[in-house]
Amino acid sequence: MPTGIWLDGAAREASSGRRFAVEDPATGEVLTTVADATVDDADAALASAVNAGADWAATAPRERAEILRWTWELVTERAEQLALLMTLELGRALPDSRAEVAYGAEYLRWFAEEAVRIGGRTAQAPAGTGRILVTRQPVGPALAITPWNFPLAMGTRKIGAALAAGCPMIVKPAEATPLTM
């Protein structure tokens, strides 16, 4: 499992070279260490997301949907591994972690289906003097900060929505549960 900062399709160390320990709260045992991102790393993530923005926004909704569907399949295939990881990292009972993985994976499937349905609407102006046209379009990078207590489900809920809409993502996981994210 990568323990670096995931940026531009690869894991890398923090610009400071610092790492912090991720502990099993049930035993206090250190599971591993992960890169400790800095402000410079956050700036690099934003620059990367901005650079990817136009291309991702121009990606056809069907293709975005297929990528999200494929991601749902991967999470589903690896459900047991993810549940075990979440249990170790969070100290939660394994059946509850399995439930969160299933719940979180469904956000990816839901937004895969919604990606091709993002449209707009027209309506009569309240004064009756014309029509109002509402269009939906990507607005740029989105930032997701995931909570420690539902790291996978809240991550997929935020990531799925942004990617389906055509927005690139930056994710800042909770320090207590960075491995799940």
Side-chain angles (χ1 to χ4, degrees):
M1 142 165 318
T3 60
I5 298 167
W6 193 257
L7 185 62
D8 292 329
R12 66 174 220 191
E13 287 303 313
S15 59
S16 67
R18 290 189 320 248
R19 299 179 71 76
F20 66 90
V22 179
E23 296 179 358
D24 177 341
T27 65
E29 177 184 341
V30 173
L31 299 171
T32 190
T33 63
V34 297
D36 190 5
T38 65
V39 171
D40 289 340
D41 297 317
D43 287 343
L46 179 58
S48 179
V50 168
N51 289 338
D55 287 343
W56 184 247
T59 301
R62 174 59 61 204
E63 187 175 345
R64 293 194 306 258
E66 292 300 326
I67 290 167
L68 286 165
R69 178 69 179 209
W70 174 68
T71 306
W72 169 78
E73 290 172 2
L74 290 174
V75 169
T76 302
E77 287 170 10
R78 297 174 180 156
E80 192 62 24
Q81 293 166 312
L82 289 166
L84 179 58
L85 176 63
M86 195 181 312
T87 290
L88 290 171
E89 184 176 47
L90 187 57
R92 177 188 288 160
L94 188 55
D96 294 338
S97 293
R98 287 180 181 127
E100 182 178 342
V101 172
Y103 173 61
E106 284 303 311
Y107 282 117
L108 296 169
R109 183 160 62 169
W110 170 270
F111 286 113
E113 294 168 357
E114 290 300 306
V116 295
R117 293 184 183 88
I118 297 172
R121 65 180 179 91
T122 60
Q124 175 106 21
T129 58
R131 307 265 316 145
I132 297 170
L133 172 65
V134 177
T135 61
R136 306 213 190 262
Q137 59 188 18
V139 295
L143 170 65
I145 300 173
T146 60
W148 67 270
N149 56 340
F150 287 97
L152 188 132
M154 295 303 99
T156 56
R157 181 180 193 178
K158 296 170 183 186
I159 293 165
L163 294 181
C167 297
M169 274 306 300
I170 301 166
V171 179
K172 192 270 182 213
E175 287 184 21
T177 54
L179 300 173
T180 300
M181 187 64 331

